[in-house]
Amino acid sequence: MSEKIEKQLTILNQLYKEQDNIYRELAAHFDLSDASFWVLYAICESDQIYSQHDLCNAWFYSKQTINSAINNLIKKGYIILKPIAGTRNRKSVELTQEGKAFCETSVIPLIHAECKSLMRFQEEDRTLFLSLFKQQLTFLEEEVELLMKSSTKEKVNSQQKN
């Protein structure tokens, strides 16, 4: 692999980690875990009603992580779970009045800051940025899938030799 690509990859991964750190520090500032902050973010930024299962799927967290985040947010009085009519045991994750007030001073200002940061780009640059980001993510998913298939074959071959 070329040295230039490896350096670019290092920069890209450092940028991902730097962005992740910005969110982690903000969550800590508000005395929340990353996952708890993202649960509130998901609820605040969308009109969609989320169940715990929906949050796992939409935000790429494990069931255990979301369950722990939900329990912490319930203890803080920010959310409640309500049964979803017509389902066996699914519950919607909803903000309490205290949760809404908290989001008004924490999550909503972040969403505004994110919008302002994107608005600093010209429209065509935003579109290009998002398109390239999605394309790189798709390429990475494809490469990781190939890697996993390859390593599975090697594992099977190794076990058959033993």
Side-chain angles (χ1 to χ4, degrees):
M1 194 173 308
S2 88
E3 191 174 315
K4 184 175 183 178
I5 293 292
E6 287 179 0
K7 284 182 182 180
Q8 289 172 334
L9 179 61
T10 297
I11 291 168
L12 181 64
N13 284 326
Q14 288 171 339
L15 291 171
Y16 284 144
K17 295 301 289 176
E18 183 178 356
Q19 182 179 23
D20 193 42
N21 189 57
I22 291 169
Y23 291 108
R24 184 176 28 265
E25 285 182 357
L26 187 62
H29 174 77
F30 290 111
D31 194 31
L32 294 172
S33 69
D34 291 0
S36 294
F37 190 82
W38 286 110
V39 166
L40 291 176
Y41 186 102
I43 295 168
C44 288
E45 66 88 31
S46 175
D47 291 333
Q48 175 182 342
I49 294 177
Y50 282 104
S51 68
Q52 288 177 275
H53 178 77
D54 297 330
L55 288 165
C56 292
N57 290 338
W59 291 88
F60 302 95
Y61 279 109
S62 70
K63 290 178 185 177
Q64 296 85 354
T65 300
I66 290 295
N67 188 49
S68 176
I70 296 291
N71 286 332
N72 288 333
L73 292 169
I74 289 171
K75 286 177 188 171
K76 288 182 178 286
Y78 294 157
I79 63 169
I80 57 172
L81 298 177
K82 291 185 178 178
I84 299 174
T87 66
R88 201 172 100 194
N89 60 355
R90 289 182 65 167
K91 295 178 182 174
S92 64
V93 180
E94 298 182 20
L95 292 171
T96 62
Q97 284 306 113
E98 187 176 349
K100 289 176 185 176
F102 179 79
C103 286
E104 285 296 325
T105 61
S106 59
V107 177
I108 301 301
L110 169 64
I111 293 170
H112 291 159
E114 290 172 318
C115 288
K116 286 179 185 178
S117 74
L118 280 175
M119 286 172 25
R120 289 180 167 186
F121 288 105
Q122 295 295 318
E123 175 64 33
E124 55 273 2
D125 290 340
R126 276 194 310 272
T127 302
L128 178 62
F129 173 72
L130 294 173
S131 174
L132 291 173
F133 190 88
K134 176 61 179 160
Q135 190 174 17
Q136 191 270 334
L137 184 58
T138 299
F139 292 161
L140 180 59
E141 287 172 337
E142 291 170 357
E143 292 298 327
V144 167
E145 187 176 313
L146 291 172
L147 175 66
M148 291 188 329
K149 284 180 182 177
S150 173
S151 68
T152 300
K153 287 179 186 176
E154 289 176 15
K155 195 177 190 181
V156 168
N157 290 339
S158 174
Q159 289 173 348
Q160 289 175 346
K161 289 180 182 177
N162 293 331

